[in-house]
């Protein structure tokens, strides 16, 4: 069961702004989803190795060599705000 | 060949007509662009660039004239708007990417470009592929061509509706919990989800990275074999791509299937299955028996818990993947904010729709301190039990067969306020994603209301050729896949 204040705390962690009305709606639906999720407890999984990846293969490594060219101008061309090759955001330090 | 003759042909037939120069790619592309333009009011496409498509078509015609063509050269295709297309809008059905023009192509798009296929347009989808009805799209719901009051399924709903309504010969899609197979079932077409790792995820906007897989929505298994032949293969740019040879999917379509055994999981035929869907699936199994296939019952009790398991893992991965949408490097940024945190919050709150927020919230919760073991780790363990259940079943059968969905297409709006009812649509499709196995949905008839019914086949790892071969044999003796919605022929 998730309360509205639980939802507001999680929303902050997820960097989402939600109003009172939304936190009410989300606390209802999330509580029902958590009840569904808790059906997992019907199965004993003790001693079972967690499965993070369908083929259980490790990540590949590649040679440490340059494969990409510099595309800064092109990549920054789709950014909301840039200046002198930097991404602009609101001031973080005084 | 006139436009009417063109639109009802299979991709394989169109390919032959192009090779023999009975038609040209420019003519084909024009015929389908006209269909898309008029669109039948389905809202199946988000972006169409006719000029660019016709340029690609002329290039394809030149290639055919040079004698340098492959089977897909000159074939127009629609792509789910989750695949990055250089210079063309890629929205993923979201406001937050509503202005995003990708600076590169997804590997899938690159491969189709190299094969000489034409990009007809980008299809509508549930926002970030989170949905089973296409109603979560920022660009509005898609209608089901078989019944305009019904959903086409999702999340690849635009692709499925476009293929069913003959707006495109075939389309791509992605499947994280059923997003190719479920809309294929609802729209009466063929939908193939390959094994995890078979098709590159590079440039495919990430939802749940350990579950997402690109695939094909087509009129037939034969057409899907042509698409997969181009899509499949190792890609060093996808760290989970599997380096193993690609089978001859087209060449193996006719392979003998007599003597094979299909396994029928009890859990796929129990409570919640609509009786009309159950009857059509039973009839399809009888059809397979007439083709010399044996059927055995298998028991897969943990599959019943696939939905709860998925609603931990999918949202957990989504909440991490979607952290990248911060309004800094690309996409939407809120017009007004006070500081950096406020900019993130306002950008994300305005940019994401309700279902995406819901999944981010679930994911954030199950990964948060104190809950990780109870939810996330528990789900990963259950995931292994489900995967093991398939491997046990494959000891006694070659393929798993059952319904794709518990019901046929439901009414638009019927489940938007009930996430759990919506999630349960994917009860038969999710197990294959959790296990990483390939699955296909093929048309197996209609209910009394005229809504299509899908039959699902699930194979062992990298058994795509066998799945397509089994589906093809069924389609040789049935004509469900050749039916066209009223007004779309």
């Amino acid at each position: 069961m998730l309360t509205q204040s639980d939802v507001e705390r999680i929303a902050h962690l997820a960097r989402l702004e939600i109003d009172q009305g939304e936190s009410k709606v989300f606390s209802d639906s999330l509580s029902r989803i958590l009840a569904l999720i808790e059906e997992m407890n019907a199965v004993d999984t003790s001693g079972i190795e967690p499965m993070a990846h369908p083929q259980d293969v490790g990540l590949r490594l590649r040679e440490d060599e340059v494969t990409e060219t510099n595309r800064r101008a092109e990549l920054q061309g789709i950014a909301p705000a840039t200046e002198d090759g930097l991404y602009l955001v609101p001031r973080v330090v005084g | 060949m006139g436009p009417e003759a063109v639109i009802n042909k299979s991709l394989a037939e169109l390919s032959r007509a192009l090779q023999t120069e009975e038609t040209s790619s420019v003519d084909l592309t024009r015929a389908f662009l006209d269909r898309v333009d008029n669109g039948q009011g389905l809202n199946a496409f988000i972006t169409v660039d006719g000029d660019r498509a016709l340029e690609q078509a002329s290039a394809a015609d030149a290639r055919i004239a040079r004698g340098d063509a492959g089977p897909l050269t000159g074939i127009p295709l629609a792509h789910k708007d989750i695949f990055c297309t250089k210079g063309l809008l890629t929205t993923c059905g979201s406001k937050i990417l509503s202005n995003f023009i990708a600076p590169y192509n997804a590997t899938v798009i690159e491969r189709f470009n190299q094969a000489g296929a034409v990009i007809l347009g980008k299809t509508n989808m549930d926002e970030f592929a989170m949905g089973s009805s296409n109603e979560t799209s920022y660009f509005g719901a898609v209608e089901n061509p078989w019944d305009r009051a019904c959903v086409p399924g999702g999340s690849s709903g635009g692709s499925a509706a476009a293929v069913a309504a003959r707006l495109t010969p075939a389309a791509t899609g992605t499947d994280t919990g059923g997003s190719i197979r479920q809309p294929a079932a609802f729209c009466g077409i063929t939908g193939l989800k390959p094994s995890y790792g078979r098709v590159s995820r590079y440039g495919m906007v990430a939802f749940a990275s350990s579950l997402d897989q690109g695939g094909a929505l087509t009129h037939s298994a034969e057409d899907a074999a042509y698409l997969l032949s181009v899509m499949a293969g190792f890609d060093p740019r996808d760290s989970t791509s599997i380096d193993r040879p690609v089978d001859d999917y087209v060449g193996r379509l006719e392979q003998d299937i007599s003597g094979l055994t299909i396994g029928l999981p009890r859990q796929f035929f129990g409570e919640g299955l609509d009786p009309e869907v159950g009857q059509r699936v039973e009839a399809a199994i009888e059809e397979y028996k007439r083709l010399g296939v044996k059927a055995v019952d298998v028991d897969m009790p943990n599959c019943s818990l696939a939905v709860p398991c998925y609603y931990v893992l999918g949202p957990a991965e989504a909440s991490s993947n979607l952290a990248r949408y911060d309004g800094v490097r690309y996409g939407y940024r809120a017009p007004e904010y006070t500081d950096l945190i406020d900019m993130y919050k306002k950008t994300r709150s305005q940019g994401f729709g309700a279902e995406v927020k819901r999944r981010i919230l679930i994911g954030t919760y199950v990964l948060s301190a104190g809950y990780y073991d109870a939810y996330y780790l528990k789900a990963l363990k259950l995931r292994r039990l489900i995967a093991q259940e398939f491997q046990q079943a494959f000891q006694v059968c070659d393929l798993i067969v059952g319904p794709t969905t518990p019901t046929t297409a439901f009414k638009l709006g019927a489940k938007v306020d009930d996430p759990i009812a919506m999630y349960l649509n994917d009860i038969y499709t999710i197990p294959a994603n959790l296990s990483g196995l390939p699955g296909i949905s093929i048309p197996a008839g209609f209910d009394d209301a005229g809504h299509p019914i899908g039959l699902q086949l699930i194979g062992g790892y990298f058994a795509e050729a066998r799945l397509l071969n089994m589906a093809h044999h069924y389609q040789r003796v049935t004509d469900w896949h050749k039916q066209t919605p009223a007004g779309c022929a």
Side-chain angles (χ1 to χ4, degrees):
Chain A
M1 188 62 201
L2 284 181
T3 64
Q4 275 179 256
S5 69
D6 289 332
V7 171
E8 282 154 21
R9 184 181 54 84
I10 304 163
H12 172 70
L13 290 175
R15 298 294 182 263
L16 290 171
E17 186 176 77
I18 55 173
D19 62 30
Q20 285 275 308
E22 283 176 304
S23 69
K24 172 84 184 71
V25 173
F26 281 129
S27 77
D28 287 349
S29 63
L30 293 181
S31 296
R32 288 197 295 135
I33 292 164
L34 283 179
L36 172 80
I37 287 172
E38 275 159 17
E39 289 176 21
M40 293 193 304
N41 295 328
V43 178
D44 179 10
T45 52
S46 49
I48 305 294
E49 187 70 19
M51 174 173 157
H53 183 288
Q55 265 88 34
D56 276 335
V57 293
L59 286 183
R60 275 192 321 275
L61 298 176
R62 64 164 174 80
E63 291 306 311
D64 183 19
E65 55 194 22
V66 177
T67 56
E68 300 292 324
T69 52
N70 181 4
R71 297 169 63 196
R72 186 168 74 178
E74 190 188 354
L75 296 176
Q76 292 201 331
I78 54 170
T82 59
E83 196 179 294
D84 300 333
L86 303 170
Y87 292 96
L88 292 189
V89 295
R91 181 177 293 274
V92 189
V93 285
Chain B
M1 231 187 327
E4 302 76 22
V6 161
I7 60 153
N8 289 312
K9 295 241 180 299
S10 73
L11 186 149
E13 289 166 330
L14 291 176
S15 175
R16 285 188 283 272
L18 283 169
Q19 307 298 322
T20 56
E21 301 191 37
E22 262 175 88
T23 186
S24 68
S25 178
V26 167
D27 285 349
L28 267 189
T29 302
R30 264 210 190 96
F32 282 105
L33 280 173
D34 285 349
R35 301 275 300 169
V36 173
D37 269 353
N38 131 1
Q40 317 271 322
L42 293 167
N43 198 27
F45 281 82
I46 292 174
T47 301
V48 177
D49 184 343
D51 292 340
R52 179 186 163 121
L54 288 168
E55 263 173 48
Q56 284 188 307
S58 309
D61 283 333
R63 191 166 156 182
I64 293 167
R66 284 200 306 273
D68 173 31
L72 289 190
T73 308
I75 299 283
L77 295 176
H79 297 291
K80 185 176 185 179
D81 208 17
I82 198 167
F83 290 102
C84 286
T85 42
K86 189 171 183 174
L88 197 60
L89 211 53
T90 298
T91 71
C92 219
S94 183
K95 179 178 177 182
I96 213 157
L97 286 177
S98 57
N99 61 357
F100 177 63
I101 296 179
Y104 64 96
N105 279 323
T107 295
V108 163
I109 300 293
E110 205 58 57
R111 283 174 163 271
F112 280 123
N113 282 348
Q114 278 162 18
V118 172
I119 300 175
L120 208 52
K122 308 287 293 290
T123 56
N124 204 342
M125 55 181 285
D126 278 298
E127 185 179 5
F128 283 102
M130 297 176 194
S132 308
S133 69
N134 219 108
E135 290 166 292
T136 72
S137 170
Y138 174 63
F139 300 91
V142 175
E143 293 178 6
N144 188 318
W146 292 95
D147 181 345
R148 299 308 178 91
C150 285
V151 303
S155 65
S156 312
S159 286
V163 172
R166 271 55 180 178
L167 308 184
T168 179
T172 56
T174 57
D175 191 316
T176 303
S179 282
I180 288 174
R181 290 161 289 157
Q182 186 254 19
F186 279 14
C187 289
I189 62 168
T190 299
L192 172 70
K193 179 202 97 77
S195 308
Y196 183 79
R198 183 72 295 183
V199 170
S200 170
R201 293 186 298 108
Y202 179 79
M204 200 175 97
V205 179
F207 158 14
S209 304
S210 82
L211 302 163
D212 298 340
Q213 184 60 204
L217 295 106
T218 57
H219 289 300
S220 64
E222 183 184 24
D223 289 358
Y226 278 102
L227 255 64
L228 186 62
S229 303
V230 170
M231 296 174 83
F234 176 64
D235 180 8
R237 290 187 293 188
D238 170 1
S239 63
T240 57
S241 174
I242 303 286
D243 191 1
R244 58 177 285 156
V246 173
D247 285 322
D248 180 3
Y249 303 117
V250 176
R252 285 183 56 188
L253 285 170
E254 302 291 340
Q255 202 175 9
D256 187 21
I257 60 166
S258 62
L260 291 179
T261 304
I262 53 175
L264 313 175
R266 257 177 266 288
Q267 287 72 16
F268 283 34
F269 292 87
E271 197 190 335
L273 179 63
D274 178 276
E276 286 188 80
V277 175
Q279 282 158 21
R280 288 306 323 156
V281 169
E282 297 288 352
I285 292 162
E286 290 307 311
E287 195 66 62
Y288 271 119
K289 288 182 184 164
R290 283 192 285 279
L291 294 170
V293 170
K294 291 192 285 282
V296 295
D297 286 332
V298 292
D299 194 28
M300 305 182 74
N302 290 322
C303 274
S304 312
L305 294 171
V307 174
C309 180
Y310 177 83
Y311 277 95
V312 174
L313 300 180
E317 295 188 26
S319 73
S320 310
N321 273 325
L322 272 59
R324 73 189 65 176
Y325 301 102
D326 55 8
V328 175
R329 289 150 302 152
Y330 50 84
Y332 174 81
R333 177 188 285 194
E336 286 172 36
Y337 41 83
T338 54
D339 56 18
L340 184 63
I341 297 288
D342 192 51
M343 186 189 88
Y344 292 154
K345 285 190 173 183
K346 289 207 161 58
T347 293
R348 292 163 61 78
S349 303
Q350 294 165 19
F352 293 136
E355 182 59 26
V356 171
K357 288 179 193 168
R358 180 156 35 234
R359 300 216 194 173
I360 290 173
L361 292 171
I362 303 168
T364 305
Y365 182 70
V366 299
L367 291 175
S368 62
Y371 298 98
Y372 182 90
D373 285 5
Y375 295 119
Y376 186 67
L377 214 55
K378 176 82 186 178
L380 286 180
K381 291 175 177 179
L382 184 54
R383 179 180 194 174
R384 182 172 304 278
L385 289 178
I386 291 169
Q388 285 173 349
E389 234 168 46
F390 276 102
Q391 295 314 311
Q392 278 154 18
F394 290 135
Q395 303 283 315
V396 296
C397 65
D398 300 287
L399 294 165
I400 299 289
V401 171
T404 307
T405 56
T407 67
T408 55
F410 47 88
K411 293 267 187 278
L412 282 154
K415 298 186 182 183
V416 279
D417 296 324
D418 188 350
I420 305 255
M422 192 70 93
Y423 298 171
L424 289 172
N425 263 291
D426 296 333
I427 190 162
Y428 306 136
T429 47
I430 285 173
N433 299 86
L434 291 172
S435 310
L437 297 168
I440 191 168
S441 178
I442 54 175
F446 296 86
D447 67 11
D448 288 344
H451 298 154
I453 289 169
L455 177 77
Q456 182 179 214
L457 296 88
I458 299 171
Y461 290 118
F462 302 102
E464 287 82 3
R466 179 57 86 189
L467 275 185
L468 290 163
N469 158 244
M470 277 287 278
H472 179 66
H473 276 275
Y474 180 77
Q475 292 182 334
R476 289 205 321 182
V477 296
T478 57
D479 65 357
W480 304 117
H481 63 294
K482 292 185 175 163
Q483 310 296 315
T484 308
C488 292

